[in-house]
Amino acid sequence: MATPRRNTSAPTSQAPKRALPREPSSETQSKRKSSAPSALLPTSLLPVPLQSSGPFVEGSIVRIAMENFLTYDICEVSPGPHLNMIIGANGTGKSSIVCAICLGLAGKPAFMGRADKVGFFVKRGCTKGTVEIELFKASGNLVITREIDVTKNQSLWFINKKPTTQKIVEEQIAALNIQVGNLCQFLPQDKVGEFAKLSKIELLEATEKSIGPPEMHKYHCELKNFREKEKQLETSCKEKTDYLEKMIQRNERYKQDVQRFYERKRHLDLIEMLEAKRPWVEYENVRQEYEEVKQARDQVKEEVRKLKEGQVPMTHRIEDMDKQRHILEGRIKEKAMDIKEASQKCKQKQDALERKEKHIEEVQQALRVKQNEEHDRQRRISNTRKMIEDLQNELKTTENSENLQPQIDAITNDLRCVQDEKASCEGEIIDRRREKETLEKEQKSVCDHIRRFDNLMNQKEDKLRQRYRDTYDAVLWLRKNRDKFKQRVCEPIMLTINMKDNRNAKYIENHISSNDLRAFVFESQEDMEVFLKEVRDNKKLRVNAVIAPESSCASTKPSRSLSELKQYGFFSYLRELFDAPVPVMSYLCRQYHIHEVPVGTERTRERIERVIQETQLKQIYTAEEKYVMKTSLYSNKVISSNTSLKVAQFLTVTVDLEQRRHLEEQLEEINRKLHAVDSGLIALRETNKHLEHKDNELRQKKKELLERKTKKRQLEQKISSKLGSLKLMEQDICNLEEEERKASTKIKEINVQRAKIVTELTNLIKICTSLHMQKVDLILENTTVISEKNKLESDYMATSSQLRVIEQKFVELDENRQNLLQKCKELMKRARQVCNLGAEQTVPQEYQTQVPTIPNGHSSSPPMAFQDLPNTLDEIDALLTEERSRASCFTGLNPTIVQEYTKREEEIEQLTEELKRKKVELDKYRENISQVKERWLNPLKELVEKINEKFSNFFSSMQCAGEVDLHAENEEDYDKYGIRIRVKFRSSTQLHELTPHHQSGGERSVSTMLYLMALQELNRCPFRVVDEINQGMDPINERRVFEMVVNTACKENTSQYFFITPKLLQNLPYSEKMTVLFVYNGPHMLEPNRWNLKAFQRRRRRITFTQPSQ
C-alpha cells in the first residue's frame, strides 16, 4: 500500500492477548501487546476523515468499541461512511474487528468459523469481555452492547445502556436490514471459500435477502409453500379420484345383491309389523275378557252382601242359647263336685277294706313261710349227713402223702436244670442280638460311605450330561446292555479317570483332548462296531469311541526315571496323577504318552531354559503352563512353545476307587457275619422253644403231685366243716302249732274291723246315687238347649257355607281380574316396546285407528299402519308363516356386503364432496400462485438483469467474461430457482459455471468479489464486510479488483463497506472518501489514553512540509 510508513497507530495498554484456536501467533502471546487501529487519510488529506466524509446510510456502523475481546484489552474504532480499508500484518487483530461486528450485532459464533462458544472470544485470562456497536439512525444513534461471561458462556445485552434481550436486539437489527449471516453482506475470512460453494438456490436466497425488496423473499417463500401445497392437493385429488372410481366400480358389482337384500328386508319389515300388531290384538282380546270378569265379580259381591245381612238375627239367637247352656253347665259342674267328694269318701272306705284283707293275707303268708323254712331245714340236714358220709368214704380211699415227696423232689431238680439251660440260651440270644445290632450299624455306615462315593460319581455324570448329552444317553444305554458285548467296555474316559489329587486335574484336561475325554474305550473291534451301529446309526447320537492296544501299555516304564528329573522341580509323571482301568490307561499311554510327560512346579518354570536344553523332553508341564519342544529338521535347533493351562472342568471330582473297593469288601464281610448271626439266632430260638416246652411239662407234673399230696388234708377239713353246719341246723328248731294259733287270732280281729267299714261304705253309696240322679236331670235339660243351638248353628253353617262358596267365587273372580289386569299391562308394555314407545309416551295421531281403554285408566292405540293388516291372531299367524317362508327363500345374502355397500355409498358421497372442495382449493392455490409469481418473478428478473449488467461490465473491464442469470429447470418448481454465475478468464475457453472445483482459488475470489461489487450499487443494506478476499488473487487481478472496489464503494448513495486485507500492492488508486484503518502490534505500542490523533497529524504535516527542502 502507498501509505507513508511514518504513520503509526494509537497504542493501547500493554497486556498479553488471549488467542483463539488456530490463532497463528498463539505461541508468542506472552510477548505481544494490544493493538488499536486508527483512521487516517493519505498525506494530501489532512482533515479528519469523518469530518470530510459524506453522510452515513441508515444502519451504518459509526463506532466499534472492544474490551477484553480476542487480541484487544481496550480499543475503539470509528469507521467512515464509505469504504473502510482495515490493514495490518497477520495476527494483529484485523479479523477480531470483524468478529466484534458479527457478535455485537447478534451473530452466531459458529458463523465466524473460529469457535462454537461465545466465551472463546473473550481475551485469555479474563472472565468477561465487552463489544459495543454504535449504528447510525437519523432519529438518534443506536448503541448495542454485549457483555460476554466466560464461566457461564452467556451474554448480557444492552440498548443505549439499558438492559434488554437478544430477541429485541435481533428485531432492531433486522429493522435496519442488517444480515450478518448473509454471505452476500457479511463475508468473514473463514467463510470466503464457502461463498463459491453456495448452490444456485442458496445464492438466490442470499441475494434476495441482501438487495431485494423485503417482500421479494417473502413472496418467494409463499410461492414455494403454495407450490408444495399445490403438489399435495394435486396428488390428493388424483388419489381420491382413483379411489372414487374404484369405489363406484365395486358398488356396481354388489348392487344386485343389495337389491335382493332389501327385498328380503321388506318381507322382514312386514314380519316385524305383524309381530308388532300381534301384541295389540292379544291385548284387546285380554281387555275384553277383563271387562267380562269384572262384571261377574260385581254381581257375586252383591250376593255376598245379602247373605251377610240374613245371618245377623240367627247369630243373636245362638248367643242367647249359648248363655243358657253356660248356666246349666255351671250347675252340672257343682253336682259333679259333690259326687266327686262322696266318691272319694267311698274310695277311702274301700281302700281301708282292701288294707284289712291284705293284712289277713300277710299273716297267712308269714305262717306259710315258717312252714316252708322248717321243711327246708329238715331237707338240708339230710343232705349234709349224706355229704359227710361220702367224704368219710373218700378219705378212707386216699393214699399217704409221704410216698409222693421223692417224686416231687426229683421233678423239682429236673425243672431247675431246665431253667438253667433256658437262662443260658436266652443270654446267648441277647449276645447274638447285640452282635447283630453292631453289625447293622457298621453295615449302615459302610453303605453311607459308598453312597457318598456314588454321589461324587453322579456329579461327574451330571457334568457329562450338561455338556455332552448324547454321550450321557449312550452311557445309560451301555449300562443296560452290557450283555451284548463280548469283552470289557469302559465308559467315557472322563468318568473312569479318578484323580488322586483334584488340584492336578488341569494337567490331564489340558493334555487329553475333549473328544477323547468323552470317548468310550473298547478292547474289541467287533464290540465297538456293535456299539456304534446301535448308538450312532439307530439312536443318532454323536459319540466317540476308541480301541485300547492289544498289548497293554499301562505299565510301560518311562525312558527316564523321576529321580533324575526331580532336580528340575518335577514331582510326577502324568500317569501317576490318576487311576483308571487298564484299557483306558493303556490307550492314554500309547496315544498321549502320559508315562513320558513329567509335571513340574514353579521351580521348573524358573529353570525352563536349562530344562529344555538338558532333558531333551518333548512335553512338560509347569505349575501354570504347558511347554512343547520340537527339533528343527534343518537346523537341529530345539524350538519351544508354551501355553497357559485352562482351568479344569470335569476331573475336579475325585473318587478313591481303592477305598470304595475296600468298603465293598468290608460290606460283604459284614453281610456274611450278619447271615451267620441270623442262622445262630434261629438255632438258639429253636433250643429255647424246646426248653420252654420241657419246662411246662415238668411244671404240670409237679402241680399234679402237689394236688395229690394236699387232697387228704382238704377232705378232713371239709368233713369237719360239714359236721359244724349240721350241728347248727339241728339246734334251729321251729314250733309250727304255736305259730298257727297266733295267726288265727289275728285274722279274727281283722274281720271285725272289716264289718264296720262295710256298713259305712253302704251309706256313702246311697248318697252318691242321689247326687247322680240330680246331675242327670241337669244334663238332660242342657242337652235340650244344646240341641236347639246345634240346629241354629247348622242353619247358620249352611248359610256360611253358601257365603264361603260365593266369597271364594268372588276371590277367584277378583284374582282373575287382577291377573287379566296385569296381563293387560304386560301386553300393553310389550306392544309399546314393539312400537318403540315409552311408558308415558302417547302414540302419534297419524298412526291411530281406534283408542281402546286400558284397565288402569291410561289410553293408547296401535299405529295406523296396522289398519291394513289382519285383526285376528289366527290370520296374523297365518300371514306371519307365509312371510317367513318368503323371507327364507332369500339365502346367501351377507349383511356385511350391504353394510359395506352403504358405507361405500356414504364414502362415495363424502369423497365427491371432498374432491369438489379440493379442486376449488387447488384452483384457489393456482390463482394465488399466479398472482404471487407475477409480483415476485418480474422484479426478480429485473434485479438479476441489473446484477448481470454490472457483473458483465466488471468482467469486461478485466478482459474476461462473466454473466449472471436466473436458472430454473422447471418454471413451476419455485424451490429450484437459483442464480447461476458463469465466468471465463481466458479467451480460448467458454463460460463455465462458478463451482468450488472448476476454477482456481484466485478465480473464485475474483468472481466472488465482482459479484459482491455488482450487488454494491443495488444493495440497500447499511454495510458490507469482506475479509481478506484478495489473498488468492494474482497481482493483476488484485489491482483490477481493488480499483473496482474503490470506484464502486466510494460513489454517492452507496452503503458502508469494510475491506480487510493484510497487504496491498504498490501505487494503488485511492479515493478521498476512503477511510484507512491501520492495525499495529508490538512491544512499544502506546496505551490508548496516551494516543493523540491531532498531535500525530500535526507531526505528519511538519514532516510532509519539510520533505521538499531536503
Side-chain angles (χ1 to χ4, degrees):
M1 181 176 175
T3 305
R5 59 180 181 270
R6 288 170 291 184
N7 288 357
T8 179
S9 65
T12 61
S13 60
Q14 300 180 3
K17 79 171 187 177
R18 177 177 180 266
L20 288 172
R22 300 192 300 274
E23 187 74 30
S25 58
S26 60
E27 297 178 359
T28 59
Q29 57 186 340
S30 61
K31 297 180 180 180
R32 297 177 57 189
K33 303 296 180 179
S34 297
S35 60
S38 64
L40 189 67
L41 290 176
T43 55
S44 59
L45 300 175
L46 297 178
V48 179
L50 286 175
Q51 296 174 353
S52 61
S53 62
F56 285 89
V57 177
E58 187 86 1
S60 298
I61 298 175
V62 176
R63 181 173 58 88
I64 305 170
M66 297 165 284
E67 182 177 351
N68 297 329
F69 185 81
L70 289 177
T71 58
Y72 300 106
D73 288 336
I74 298 175
C75 182
E76 185 172 306
V77 180
S78 298
H82 296 292
L83 178 60
N84 291 275
M85 299 288 296
I86 302 177
I87 304 171
N90 288 329
T92 55
K94 303 184 301 300
S95 297
S96 298
I97 299 174
V98 177
C99 294
I101 295 172
C102 178
L103 297 179
L105 297 177
K108 304 296 182 184
F111 179 72
M112 304 303 300
R114 299 172 66 122
D116 57 349
K117 294 183 179 179
V118 71
F120 288 144
F121 290 88
V122 178
K123 188 173 183 179
R124 186 185 298 273
C126 299
T127 58
K128 288 187 179 180
T130 305
V131 176
E132 186 172 275
I133 307 292
E134 183 176 354
L135 301 177
F136 175 78
K137 285 185 71 173
S139 59
N141 289 358
L142 181 68
V143 180
I144 298 174
T145 306
R146 181 175 188 172
E147 290 186 1
I148 303 170
D149 191 334
V150 176
T151 56
K152 297 181 181 179
N153 194 40
Q154 293 179 351
S155 300
L156 297 177
W157 294 89
F158 300 89
I159 294 180
N160 295 331
K161 306 300 181 181
K162 294 180 180 179
T164 185
T165 62
Q166 183 175 349
K167 184 177 180 181
I168 295 175
V169 172
E170 290 173 351
E171 292 174 355
Q172 293 280 356
I173 292 170
L176 296 173
N177 199 25
I178 297 174
Q179 304 170 22
V180 293
N182 190 342
L183 293 180
C184 290
Q185 181 177 344
F186 197 92
L187 190 62
Q189 177 181 353
D190 296 320
K191 295 288 184 177
V192 172
E194 292 188 11
F195 186 87
K197 296 179 184 178
L198 289 176
S199 65
K200 295 186 286 293
I201 299 170
E202 292 172 339
L203 185 59
L204 173 60
E205 184 176 355
T207 304
E208 284 177 342
K209 292 179 180 179
S210 178
I211 65 172
E215 63 275 6
M216 178 176 285
H217 181 65
K218 184 182 75 171
Y219 288 154
H220 191 186
C221 294
E222 288 180 359
L223 274 175
K224 289 190 283 187
N225 293 334
F226 287 157
R227 177 55 182 164
E228 184 64 28
K229 292 181 180 178
E230 182 187 18
K231 288 180 181 178
Q232 294 175 0
L233 287 171
E234 287 175 350
T235 304
S236 177
C237 287
K238 186 177 182 307
E239 290 175 353
K240 290 186 183 299
T241 302
D242 295 341
Y243 183 64
L244 182 61
E245 291 177 358
K246 290 180 182 178
M247 296 281 284
I248 293 172
Q249 292 173 4
R250 190 177 300 175
N251 264 16
E252 285 296 327
R253 289 199 298 270
Y254 295 109
K255 188 173 183 180
Q256 186 177 359
D257 290 341
V258 173
Q259 290 176 351
R260 293 180 68 242
F261 178 84
Y262 281 113
E263 185 175 354
R264 176 175 176 271
K265 189 174 184 302
R266 283 193 292 274
H267 291 290
L268 295 177
D269 290 342
L270 181 56
I271 291 171
E272 186 178 355
M273 291 293 292
L274 289 169
E275 290 177 345
K277 182 172 181 179
R278 197 176 190 283
W280 291 96
V281 174
E282 289 179 347
Y283 162 74
E284 183 61 26
N285 293 340
V286 173
R287 190 191 64 80
Q288 292 176 0
E289 185 180 356
Y290 167 80
E291 293 296 337
E292 294 174 359
V293 170
K294 182 182 178 184
Q295 186 177 359
R297 189 204 67 159
D298 294 340
Q299 292 176 357
V300 171
K301 186 177 181 181
E302 182 63 22
E303 291 180 7
V304 169
R305 185 187 62 78
K306 290 179 180 179
L307 285 174
K308 285 183 178 180
E309 289 178 354
Q311 283 183 334
V312 174
M314 195 180 297
T315 303
H316 293 323
R317 178 64 179 159
I318 290 172
E319 290 176 354
D320 294 340
M321 287 186 172
D322 198 37
K323 291 178 181 178
Q324 186 178 356
R325 182 181 62 81
H326 282 305
I327 294 171
L328 290 172
E329 287 178 352
R331 293 176 62 190
I332 289 171
K333 286 181 180 180
E334 291 177 357
K335 294 297 180 182
M337 291 298 294
D338 295 340
I339 292 171
K340 185 177 180 181
E341 290 177 358
S343 297
Q344 287 178 351
K345 291 179 181 180
C346 290
K347 182 69 170 59
Q348 292 174 358
K349 295 301 180 180
Q350 287 177 350
D351 292 340
L353 187 61
E354 288 176 357
R355 285 194 297 272
K356 294 300 180 180
E357 290 177 353
K358 189 175 181 181
H359 192 190
I360 292 172
E361 290 178 357
E362 289 176 353
V363 172
Q364 291 175 349
Q365 180 66 26
L367 180 61
R368 284 193 296 271
V369 169
K370 289 183 178 182
Q371 290 174 351
N372 290 333
E373 287 178 353
E374 180 61 24
H375 292 313
D376 186 57
R377 186 181 69 81
Q378 294 295 335
R379 181 180 57 77
R380 283 189 288 110
I381 290 172
S382 176
N383 289 335
T384 302
R385 286 175 179 172
K386 187 178 179 180
M387 289 177 64
I388 292 170
E389 185 179 355
D390 292 338
L391 290 172
Q392 287 175 347
N393 292 331
E394 186 178 359
L395 181 62
K396 292 176 182 180
T397 60
T398 302
E399 61 181 338
N400 195 355
S401 60
E402 296 177 355
N403 299 329
L404 297 175
Q405 188 62 39
Q407 297 180 15
I408 293 172
D409 293 339
I411 291 174
T412 301
N413 292 331
D414 293 340
L415 185 61
R416 187 179 298 111
C417 293
V418 169
Q419 288 177 348
D420 291 341
E421 291 180 6
K422 183 180 176 184
S424 175
C425 183
E426 288 177 350
E428 192 170 353
I429 288 173
I430 291 171
D431 293 339
R432 292 295 180 91
R433 283 178 179 172
R434 289 174 180 172
E435 183 180 359
K436 182 179 180 181
E437 289 175 358
T438 303
L439 290 173
E440 286 176 345
K441 289 179 180 179
E442 292 179 2
Q443 183 188 39
K444 184 176 181 300
S445 176
V446 172
C447 289
D448 290 341
H449 278 80
I450 294 175
R451 194 176 296 110
R452 283 196 290 271
F453 279 115
D454 292 340
N455 289 336
L456 293 175
M457 197 66 185
N458 290 336
Q459 292 180 17
K460 297 177 72 173
E461 292 178 3
D462 286 341
K463 291 185 177 181
L464 178 65
R465 177 176 55 80
Q466 293 172 5
R467 185 69 179 272
Y468 307 110
R469 184 56 188 258
D470 287 359
T471 306
Y472 176 77
D473 293 341
V475 170
L476 298 180
W477 181 87
L478 175 63
R479 291 174 179 174
K480 295 178 181 177
N481 299 276
R482 287 191 179 274
D483 56 338
K484 294 184 178 181
F485 303 101
K486 297 179 180 179
Q487 297 187 27
R488 184 176 182 181
V489 179
C490 295
E491 293 181 357
I493 294 176
M494 66 171 61
L495 296 182
T496 56
I497 284 179
N498 183 46
M499 299 300 302
K500 296 178 181 178
D501 187 345
N502 56 11
R503 291 176 295 180
N504 297 325
K506 59 184 178 181
Y507 303 118
I508 306 302
E509 289 194 20
N510 280 273
H511 192 74
I512 304 174
S513 68
S514 60
N515 288 334
D516 278 353
L517 278 175
R518 57 190 178 97
F520 293 82
V521 181
F522 295 83
E523 292 183 338
S524 167
Q525 180 71 28
E526 184 181 353
D527 287 346
M528 186 173 74
E529 291 176 356
V530 171
F531 175 80
L532 293 178
K533 182 178 179 180
E534 181 66 31
V535 174
R536 280 188 182 174
D537 300 341
N538 296 342
K539 294 186 175 296
K540 308 299 181 185
L541 298 178
R542 294 178 296 178
V543 297
N544 297 334
V546 297
I547 298 180
E550 294 181 1
S551 59
S552 177
C553 302
S555 58
T556 304
K557 294 182 179 180
S559 58
R560 300 185 63 174
S561 65
L562 186 63
S563 58
E564 297 178 13
L565 300 177
K566 284 187 177 180
Q567 58 178 325
Y568 303 109
F570 293 107
F571 63 90
S572 175
Y573 283 102
L574 287 178
R575 183 176 61 183
E576 278 67 40
L577 296 179
F578 63 92
D579 295 324
V582 174
V584 174
M585 189 68 79
S586 178
Y587 171 78
L588 294 177
C589 286
R590 189 192 68 176
Q591 185 71 20
Y592 290 98
H593 306 287
I594 57 175
H595 62 290
E596 295 285 357
V597 180
V599 181
T601 59
E602 192 62 34
R603 180 183 171 193
T604 309
R605 172 67 183 86
E606 295 171 356
R607 305 180 180 185
I608 190 64
E609 293 182 0
R610 181 182 166 194
V611 171
I612 294 171
Q613 293 175 0
E614 296 179 1
T615 60
Q616 297 181 353
L617 295 170
K618 294 183 178 181
Q619 292 185 61
I620 61 172
Y621 284 89
T622 63
E624 297 296 336
E625 293 177 331
K626 174 183 179 181
Y627 287 84
V628 178
M629 282 70 73
K630 295 181 181 179
T631 303
S632 174
L633 298 176
Y634 301 98
S635 62
N636 289 328
K637 292 183 178 179
V638 177
I639 302 172
S640 65
S641 62
N642 65 313
T643 55
S644 298
L645 298 181
K646 299 178 182 177
V647 179
Q649 297 180 358
F650 301 105
L651 304 180
T652 54
V653 179
T654 302
V655 180
D656 192 341
L657 297 179
E658 184 63 30
Q659 186 179 358
R660 192 180 190 281
R661 283 195 296 271
H662 176 70
L663 289 172
E664 288 177 349
E665 293 173 357
Q666 187 177 353
L667 182 62
E668 290 178 0
E669 180 65 21
I670 291 172
N671 291 334
R672 186 184 62 75
K673 290 182 179 179
L674 278 173
H675 181 70
V677 169
D678 288 337
S679 301
L681 276 173
I682 293 171
L684 289 171
R685 288 193 182 100
E686 289 294 330
T687 304
N688 189 51
K689 185 177 179 182
H690 175 71
L691 292 174
E692 185 73 28
H693 180 68
K694 189 175 181 181
D695 180 75
N696 291 336
E697 288 179 351
L698 292 173
R699 288 179 183 276
Q700 184 65 29
K701 289 180 180 179
K702 184 177 180 181
K703 181 179 178 183
E704 291 175 356
L705 291 172
L706 290 173
E707 287 177 353
R708 288 168 59 187
K709 181 179 179 181
T710 58
K711 185 174 182 181
K712 184 176 182 180
R713 189 184 307 155
Q714 292 175 353
L715 290 174
E716 290 175 351
Q717 290 176 353
K718 287 182 179 179
I719 292 170
S720 176
S721 175
K722 294 298 181 182
L723 289 174
S725 298
L726 180 62
K727 186 177 181 179
L728 290 173
M729 285 187 291
E730 288 175 350
Q731 291 177 356
D732 189 13
I733 300 173
C734 179
N735 190 354
L736 291 176
E737 293 179 357
E738 181 65 23
E739 294 294 332
E740 290 176 356
R741 185 184 60 79
K742 290 180 180 179
S744 177
T745 302
K746 286 184 179 179
I747 292 170
K748 287 179 181 179
E749 292 176 355
I750 292 169
N751 285 332
V752 173
Q753 295 174 358
R754 286 181 62 200
K756 185 179 179 180
I757 291 170
V758 169
T759 300
E760 294 175 353
L761 178 60
T762 303
N763 295 330
L764 289 173
I765 290 172
K766 290 179 180 178
I767 294 170
C768 187
T769 303
S770 176
L771 292 173
H772 274 293
M773 292 299 293
Q774 295 175 5
K775 180 181 178 183
V776 168
D777 293 338
L778 291 173
I779 290 172
L780 289 174
E781 186 178 357
N782 186 39
T783 302
T784 302
V785 173
I786 290 173
S787 176
E788 292 179 1
K789 178 190 173 187
N790 289 339
K791 184 179 179 182
L792 288 173
E793 287 180 345
S794 177
D795 295 340
Y796 181 82
M797 291 299 295
T799 306
S800 298
S801 177
Q802 184 181 1
L803 180 62
R804 283 195 299 273
V805 171
I806 296 174
E807 284 180 342
Q808 180 65 29
K809 185 178 180 181
F810 172 79
V811 171
E812 291 175 355
L813 289 172
D814 191 60
E815 289 179 356
N816 193 12
R817 182 188 69 83
Q818 293 290 341
N819 293 334
L820 290 172
L821 177 61
Q822 185 64 29
K823 191 173 182 180
C824 283
K825 291 180 180 179
E826 291 176 356
L827 290 172
M828 172 58 71
K829 182 179 179 181
R830 179 182 168 193
R832 285 180 172 276
Q833 289 177 350
V834 171
C835 295
N836 294 323
L837 297 175
E840 302 297 331
Q841 185 179 358
T842 59
V843 180
Q845 186 64 32
E846 58 268 20
Y847 295 111
Q848 296 180 357
T849 54
Q850 57 181 344
V851 184
T853 303
I854 302 175
N856 60 5
H858 299 287
S859 62
S860 181
S861 63
M864 184 175 290
F866 295 164
Q867 64 185 0
D868 297 330
L869 300 177
N871 293 320
T872 64
L873 292 176
D874 294 338
E875 292 175 349
I876 288 174
D877 292 339
L879 187 55
L880 269 173
T881 303
E882 181 181 353
E883 290 299 322
R884 285 170 179 162
S885 299
R886 291 179 179 178
S888 64
C889 295
F890 294 91
T891 59
L893 298 177
N894 191 353
T896 308
I897 296 176
V898 179
Q899 294 174 2
E900 292 177 355
Y901 179 88
T902 306
K903 185 177 179 181
R904 279 194 295 270
E905 284 291 333
E906 295 174 356
E907 195 171 351
I908 286 170
E909 185 177 353
Q910 293 176 359
L911 279 174
T912 304
E913 292 296 326
E914 187 175 356
L915 195 57
K916 289 180 182 179
R917 292 196 303 272
K918 293 285 185 183
K919 287 181 179 179
V920 171
E921 188 177 359
L922 181 60
D923 293 339
K924 183 177 178 181
Y925 270 109
R926 285 173 177 169
E927 183 179 354
N928 290 338
I929 288 172
S930 177
Q931 294 174 359
V932 176
K933 180 180 179 182
E934 184 177 354
R935 291 197 295 266
W936 171 74
L937 189 57
N938 293 335
L940 179 61
K941 288 180 178 179
E942 293 177 1
L943 183 63
V944 173
E945 186 61 34
K946 291 179 181 179
I947 296 171
N948 180 46
E949 182 181 353
K950 301 283 185 183
F951 188 75
S952 299
N953 292 336
F954 289 146
F955 263 87
S956 297
S957 64
M958 296 176 60
Q959 287 78 45
C960 299
E963 70 176 26
V964 176
D965 61 354
L966 186 63
H967 179 267
E969 296 177 0
N970 185 358
E971 187 177 354
E972 300 299 326
D973 291 337
Y974 302 107
D975 55 341
K976 301 296 177 59
Y977 272 76
I979 289 180
R980 180 174 60 180
I981 300 176
R982 296 192 298 167
V983 296
K984 74 171 183 175
F985 290 89
R986 287 165 290 280
S987 59
S988 60
T989 60
Q990 295 181 351
L991 290 171
H992 288 284
E993 187 175 347
L994 181 64
T995 64
H997 313 291
H998 191 275
Q999 289 80 15
S1000 66
E1003 290 173 346
R1004 290 198 301 272
S1005 297
V1006 170
S1007 302
T1008 301
M1009 194 66 188
L1010 294 183
Y1011 184 80
L1012 294 177
M1013 295 308 303
L1015 300 180
Q1016 178 67 17
E1017 293 184 3
L1018 302 175
N1019 190 10
R1020 303 313 303 166
C1021 63
F1023 62 88
R1024 189 188 311 281
V1025 177
V1026 178
D1027 190 1
E1028 297 191 14
I1029 199 170
N1030 58 338
Q1031 288 301 301
M1033 298 181 187
D1034 58 80
I1036 297 174
N1037 288 332
E1038 184 178 355
R1039 186 176 296 278
R1040 291 174 180 175
V1041 170
F1042 185 81
E1043 291 177 359
M1044 293 178 190
V1045 170
V1046 172
N1047 293 333
T1048 304
C1050 292
K1051 289 181 180 180
E1052 293 293 335
N1053 299 324
T1054 58
S1055 59
Q1056 194 177 32
Y1057 201 100
F1058 289 89
F1059 187 85
I1060 294 91
T1061 179
K1063 51 86 179 179
L1064 287 174
L1065 300 175
Q1066 296 286 332
N1067 300 320
L1068 292 174
Y1070 297 97
S1071 171
E1072 294 181 356
K1073 295 182 179 180
M1074 288 176 59
T1075 300
V1076 181
L1077 301 173
F1078 290 92
V1079 181
Y1080 285 151
N1081 194 337
H1084 304 293
M1085 295 295 298
L1086 290 176
E1087 296 179 2
N1089 54 5
R1090 295 175 56 189
W1091 173 254
N1092 191 328
L1093 180 60
K1094 293 181 179 180
F1096 174 78
Q1097 290 175 344
R1098 286 195 298 271
R1099 290 194 299 272
R1100 181 69 180 89
R1101 292 191 194 98
R1102 288 196 298 269
I1103 294 171
T1104 303
F1105 294 150
T1106 58
Q1107 278 182 352
S1109 60
Q1110 295 176 354

